[in-house]
Amino acid sequence: MNRAETPLVDLRCEAHTYPDGTVGMHDVEFSVYPDEVVALLGGNGAGKSTLLEHLNATLVPDEGELVIEGTPVANGDERRARKTVGFVFQDADAQLVAPTVRDDVLFGLQNYGVSGEEAIERARDALDAVDAGHLEDRIPHYLSGGEKRLVGLAGVLALQPSVIVLDEPLAGLDPERSRLVARHIEQVHRDGVSVVLSTHDLDFAAEVADRVCVMADGNIVGCGTPREVFYDDELLATANLHPPSPVRVARSAGLDTSERPVTESELAAAIADASTTDRTARTVADGTDV
Amino acid sequence: MNRAETPLVDLRCEAHTYPDGTVGMHDVEFSVYPDEVVALLGGNGAGKSTLLEHLNATLVPDEGELVIEGTPVANGDERRARKTVGFVFQDADAQLVAPTVRDDVLFGLQNYGVSGEEAIERARDALDAVDAGHLEDRIPHYLSGGEKRLVGLAGVLALQPSVIVLDEPLAGLDPERSRLVARHIEQVHRDGVSVVLSTHDLDFAAEVADRVCVMADGNIVGCGTPREVFYDDELLATANLHPPSPVRVARSAGLDTSERPVTESELAAAIADASTTDRTARTVADGTDV
Amino acid sequence: MAHIHLGEGSFPLWALALWTLIGTGLIGVVVYRIRKGGIETRQIALAGIAGAASFAVFQLNIPVWGGIHMNLTGLVGILAGPLLGALIALVVNIFSAALGHGAVGLLGANTLVNASEAVVAYYAFRTLVGLDWDVFPASTGAATLGLSAGAVLMGAIIVVSGVNGSALPRADLTVAVAGLVGLNLGVAVVEGLLTGFVVQFLASVRPDLVGLVDRLGRDASEVTA
Amino acid sequence: MLSNHVPDPRLVTAYAERRDGPLHHVNPWTKLGVVGALVLAVTVVDRAAVLAGLYAVVLLVYVTAGLPAGRLLRWYTVPMLFIVSVAGPLAFLEPGTPIGGALATPLGDVSVTVAGLVLFLELGFRSLTVVTFTLAAAMTTRYSDVAYVLGRVLPRPVDQVALLTYRFTFVMIETLEDLVKAAVARGGNLSEFWSNKRLYARILGMTMLSAIERAERLVKSMEARGYDGDLTLYGDVPRPPVHETLLVGGSYAAVLGYAAITTGVVL
Ligand SMILES: Nc1ncnc2c1ncn2[C@@H]1O[C@H](COP(=O)(O)OP(=O)(O)OP(=O)(O)O)[C@@H](O)[C@H]1O
Ligand SMILES: Nc1ncnc2c1ncn2[C@@H]1O[C@H](COP(=O)(O)OP(=O)(O)OP(=O)(O)O)[C@@H](O)[C@H]1O
Ligand SMILES: [Mg+2]
Ligand SMILES: [Mg+2]
């Protein structure tokens, strides 16, 4: 990546070793730039969660550095990292700490000294932004998986971070709710927030990401646009991944050469294109037949 | 369904009410026959887990009956149900009961009186079967989400039940491991074990299932072959579902009428077919042109 | 530090034997009653959970007076009842001793202390709720009372035993121990308060857990009867 | 966040399952026997020098077993706290020759006496000797063996409660850790108790709640794999080999012999 802007988040981590000696990730350099959606892909245990949890100093490198908006995060200065980088955890249950949804969304605000009317206002806005306003009085613990995730997202949105990190935002959601969450991620991005997410759903990554990074064995093994990465078989194979289904279909139908579709709509367009050409051809053929 | 064989599992449940008064499912009749793979679909909270947990008497109906291999399961007789019907829970963490992977896989075996070398042998085979042999000495709590699920699956496979119930077997798995689990499900099925699974991944259901049942609001609202169900828009809409991607692509490319592909390979074949026709047409056209 | 677990080898051999004997007697009675009354898998599971909570929460460092750790014995007593509470006290002490928090030789003494905390907290909670107190003050009061009782019992055990190898007269020892007990009473208030918040929260979020409290209470009294 | 002065059971288990040190291969019954002998020893031995020697031996065993020494120092905090809180005041109160200058207080002169200091050291060695060995044993005995021994030693239903406690501890710690992580990630501050007591209460309350529910699910899943209220004790811890039995017997004999001699001398 070769950009003029300063990255919002800049992580250099020689290694992160868990207390039991497992090296969760090593030799990683990772930056997040303003206004982009980055998807982190990789097999189970590749180190995605480990990397993401470094971005807001939940975990710290054995050796390395986290730089937020140009300033390194010193020991004891983690609050700044956490304020700039909002985090929605992989496990929705673990995210919710308060007895009601409203309290939960207020929780972070209060920690940063926002209180009273303003806090309530911002909490409500954040909930509305993800269509979860009606859940305000519910007990987070008893929401459905999808609802929990929306509330978790709202709790982070309320803090108006510059970057939002989502660890497997679609895990356990039904297709309708996945679509809802995906739409909200796009909304958040349009509002100028950078998003970093991990996912096993490559179709989803193809839909939302501007940039895709592939991890394997605790390391980033490749980065690029979805089109670059999803047609790079060798790279995907290193990381235990298969191309998303539009790519596979395009391949096996022989449509992969020209347009290289990565999303469903691109694939449909490519097919339609192909058949328009065919239909034209057929019409001509029909014409000459008559 | 209209079969001569006795079902392996036959559930009739007027209702299941959770302690807090939520009715998790109602008016359900569900059977599992020898040698089939049944996929249960439905939105979050539709009642899939509730139904599945009835199949091995983890939950019991308020009013109703569970019949295993022709004999009703009486109170106190749950062990028979549990031995015949293996269960892999939705929450991988909840599945793992011992502090090492090996001990965890051995746990069920030992409860059923298998011990010593034979138990260790079977545990190892089960782990290898899901490509998790290398995790044998690890501590389940230190595994990544996907690794945990493989271990949970191995723990049930080791018990060699007649029916395996899998609640969201692919949740949190990477594509390679998903494919592995899918292949393994097919393997298990070929070995004569019936499989019942719930999933949000309709593409996966289309690949593996002989029969698909759709749930909504605690009720089974429709059953049929994948081809019947996935082209039934009205049914899918009731259940908050969208057709799997091959169906969507086939639709938007106008390929849905004749072959009605539901899997990727069928879609690819359909596209290839269409273009062969086209190419023939084009060749003819070309021929006349010359 | 909420619970001073006496260090290994603090007491002379005769005292070690005495407390082990009394502790064993207490557990013996509890086990006998539970076996007689029967126990469900679910209750064993609940006891396991409560034991684990008490053990795990010890990992949380609470920054008061240089850091205190809790055992939640009061909470355990309120949730699990006196019989299971006593068993949990034993089990938690066994695991704690293995990790250097407590003493293997003084399992008897430490179990007596913690069991008394659970038992007193349980009966105090019942009584206060019976007097129509709200959940919060009742559980705070009960836990504080239970933990204080434990602290006093611990002081008494030290004074009766005498410290191994010390030539200090009992009277002076009593003064020293009184200071220690006083400090623990302070910690009891902090932990009591937290217990109050936790019980109030559990009662508000999962009323059926309060139902569980009731049910267990009944089971326990049936066993006692 | 979570205290590193308290051993993390997960870490302890990780070491235990490694099975690569010499102590890993010692029979669990032998280790239990040695714990008993050590407890007896630190109770009856009353000479600082002997206690120090005993501690040195145990420490050597710990280190040669390949266990982490740095962590051990941190884990000493809690037992040391107990020692300080009991023996600390006694070090001042103990009758005998004062060390250095006495501090004048309204209650009279206060100073650490030689006897007081010796007492403090003795109590320290006593405690740390056993703590070090039990930690070493815990970190070199695999789960299934611990479970087996617990099941053998404890009466019903205490053994079942103990086995489930062991298991659920991991669930609890994870829940606690996740919640602390989530709270801190949103700016939660755990450094000042009084102004954050509600946060603590919430975290504790949620921990209880989610752990209770997780544990309930765990019981369900255990039942699904044949559990019926009886955690089967698998594996089998055989009797210790002859030389280990002799070692344990020998250590008890040594302690009793020592007690007999010293008592005899006193008499
Ligand atoms: N708390 C922990 N203690 C020890 N090892 C851990 C811990 N968490 C993760 N690991 C290990 O670190 C490695 C990276 O794990 P991580 O959770 O980052 O993977 P991931 O890419 O997020 O996987 P998944 O897709 O399954 O969530 C794995 O080998 C895992 O077993
Ligand atoms: N333990 C419980 N106590 C009370 N209500 C419950 C419990 N478990 C599930 N429910 C409720 O029962 C209904 C059916 O839940 P179930 O878990 O069966 O849905 P599901 O189809 O498996 O959903 P998902 O796809 O999210 O796993 C939901 O309304 C849910 O809120
Ligand atoms: Mg992860
Ligand atoms: Mg479910």
Side-chain angles (χ1 to χ4, degrees), chain B residues 48-49 90 167-168:
Chain B
K48 301 182 296 298
S49 299
Q90 177 162 7
D167 200 355
E168 314 240 357

Side-chain angles (χ1 to χ4, degrees), chain B residues 171-192:
Chain B
L173 292 190
D174 65 37
E176 182 69 33
R177 286 187 176 79
S178 295
R179 189 167 282 199
L180 194 75
V181 170
R183 217 165 47 219
H184 201 75
I185 291 172
E186 279 164 5
Q187 177 63 46
V188 165
H189 176 214
R190 264 199 304 281
D191 293 347

Side-chain angles (χ1 to χ4, degrees), chain B residues 53 56 58-59 79 82 87 89 91 93-100 102-105 107-108 110-112 137 139 141-142 148 155-156 159, chain D residues 8 10-11 13-15 17 19 142-144 166-167 170-171 174 214 217-228 230-232 234-235:
Chain B
E53 289 181 16
N56 76 338
T58 296
L59 296 179
R79 257 175 102 87
R82 287 173 189 151
F87 204 110
F89 285 82
D91 177 0
D93 273 308
Q95 177 91 23
L96 305 173
V97 296
T100 77
R102 183 189 310 98
D103 288 325
D104 195 84
V105 179
F107 173 78
Q110 262 130 357
N111 283 329
Y112 290 120
D137 290 311
I139 298 176
H141 324 280
Y142 283 149
K148 283 182 188 166
V156 168
L159 301 177
Chain D
D8 182 340
R10 291 171 299 181
L11 185 71
T13 316
Y15 273 102
E17 300 299 331
R19 273 174 287 147
R142 38 194 297 218
Y143 166 76
S144 55
Y166 192 4
R167 167 58 192 137
F170 297 92
V171 176
E174 275 177 11
R214 275 170 90 162
R217 284 202 299 272
L218 202 54
V219 170
K220 273 208 294 195
S221 96
M222 284 161 61
E223 285 175 344
R225 284 199 281 161
Y227 173 73
D228 55 359
D230 177 10
L231 278 187
T232 316
Y234 37 88

Side-chain angles (χ1 to χ4, degrees), chain C:
Chain C
M1 134 170 194
H3 304 264
I4 286 302
H5 287 237
L6 303 157
E8 199 73 64
S10 315
F11 293 166
L13 192 58
W14 68 264
L16 187 142
L18 175 68
W19 303 124
T20 305
L21 219 64
I22 299 182
T24 311
L26 171 78
I27 295 300
V29 171
V30 168
V31 165
Y32 173 76
R33 289 201 160 166
I34 289 182
R35 281 188 187 166
K36 216 175 86 186
I39 185 164
E40 292 169 34
T41 313
R42 232 197 45 259
Q43 281 177 295
I44 297 183
L46 182 83
I49 296 161
S54 158
F55 189 53
V57 156
F58 191 73
Q59 302 261 337
L60 192 67
N61 185 41
I62 302 210
V64 187
W65 305 316
I68 65 172
H69 293 270
M70 312 184 302
N71 255 9
L72 291 183
T73 346
L75 181 64
V76 165
I78 291 171
L79 285 180
L83 292 180
L84 286 178
L87 287 196
I88 293 166
L90 170 66
V91 166
V92 170
N93 268 299
I94 292 174
F95 287 125
S96 301
L99 299 187
H101 167 216
V104 180
L106 300 182
L107 270 177
N110 285 330
T111 302
L112 281 175
V113 171
N114 288 5
S116 72
E117 291 167 346
V119 172
V120 171
Y122 173 79
Y123 285 109
F125 183 68
R126 296 273 108 189
T127 311
L128 293 177
V129 167
L131 293 175
D132 262 352
W133 283 36
D134 276 342
V135 175
F136 177 70
S139 45
T140 305
T144 310
L145 205 64
L147 295 166
S148 307
V152 171
L153 177 61
M154 178 205 68
I157 288 178
I158 301 180
V159 171
V160 169
S161 310
V163 173
N164 205 359
S166 166
L168 198 66
R170 282 291 195 282
D172 291 354
L173 180 62
T174 311
V175 173
V177 167
L180 190 66
V181 171
L183 199 66
N184 265 271
L185 293 182
V187 175
V189 174
V190 175
E191 189 168 337
L193 211 60
L194 278 173
T195 305
F197 280 125
V198 171
V199 174
Q200 185 190 32
F201 172 78
L202 287 180
S204 74
V205 177
R206 273 259 319 243
D208 65 299
L209 275 184
V210 182
L212 199 62
V213 172
D214 284 331
R215 202 159 55 237
L216 274 171
R218 225 178 21 251
D219 286 347
S221 50
E222 272 162 24
V223 176
T224 319

Side-chain angles (χ1 to χ4, degrees), chain B residues 51-257:
Chain B
L51 194 161
L52 294 178
E53 289 181 16
H54 277 78
L55 299 180
N56 76 338
T58 296
L59 296 179
V60 287
D62 301 347
E63 185 86 37
E65 194 179 40
L66 175 67
V67 180
I68 300 277
E69 291 174 330
T71 320
V73 175
N75 220 327
D77 189 24
E78 292 87 0
R79 257 175 102 87
R80 189 168 55 88
R82 287 173 189 151
K83 205 164 172 182
T84 314
V85 183
F87 204 110
V88 183
F89 285 82
Q90 177 162 7
D91 177 0
D93 273 308
Q95 177 91 23
L96 305 173
V97 296
T100 77
V101 167
R102 183 189 310 98
D103 288 325
D104 195 84
V105 179
L106 285 171
F107 173 78
L109 288 168
Q110 262 130 357
N111 283 329
Y112 290 120
V114 185
S115 59
E117 272 312 304
E118 190 196 342
I120 291 179
E121 190 81 14
R122 274 171 67 176
R124 195 159 292 153
D125 287 350
L127 281 169
D128 286 342
V130 293
D131 195 21
H134 61 290
L135 300 176
E136 200 171 297
D137 290 311
R138 295 280 303 275
I139 298 176
H141 324 280
Y142 283 149
L143 299 178
S144 79
E147 290 168 338
K148 283 182 188 166
R149 192 167 296 275
L150 292 178
V151 174
L153 185 57
V156 168
L157 285 176
L159 301 177
Q160 305 174 341
S162 319
V163 179
I164 290 188
V165 177
L166 303 133
D167 200 355
E168 314 240 357
L170 302 191
L173 292 190
D174 65 37
E176 182 69 33
R177 286 187 176 79
S178 295
R179 189 167 282 199
L180 194 75
V181 170
R183 217 165 47 219
H184 201 75
I185 291 172
E186 279 164 5
Q187 177 63 46
V188 165
H189 176 214
R190 264 199 304 281
D191 293 347
V193 177
S194 290
V195 178
V196 186
L197 53 88
S198 75
T199 184
H200 289 303
D201 184 338
L202 270 61
D203 295 35
F204 166 62
E207 296 283 347
V208 298
D210 301 315
R211 186 155 61 97
V212 173
C213 291
V214 178
M215 292 192 78
D217 286 331
N219 208 323
I220 297 184
V221 293
C223 268
T225 65
R227 209 174 308 280
E228 285 160 12
V229 171
F230 292 145
Y231 279 88
D232 186 340
D233 286 332
E234 209 174 311
L235 176 62
L236 293 178
T238 345
N240 246 350
L241 298 172
H242 302 271
S245 70
V247 174
R248 288 196 302 261
V249 172
R251 281 263 169 80
S252 46
L255 294 170
D256 57 325
T257 41

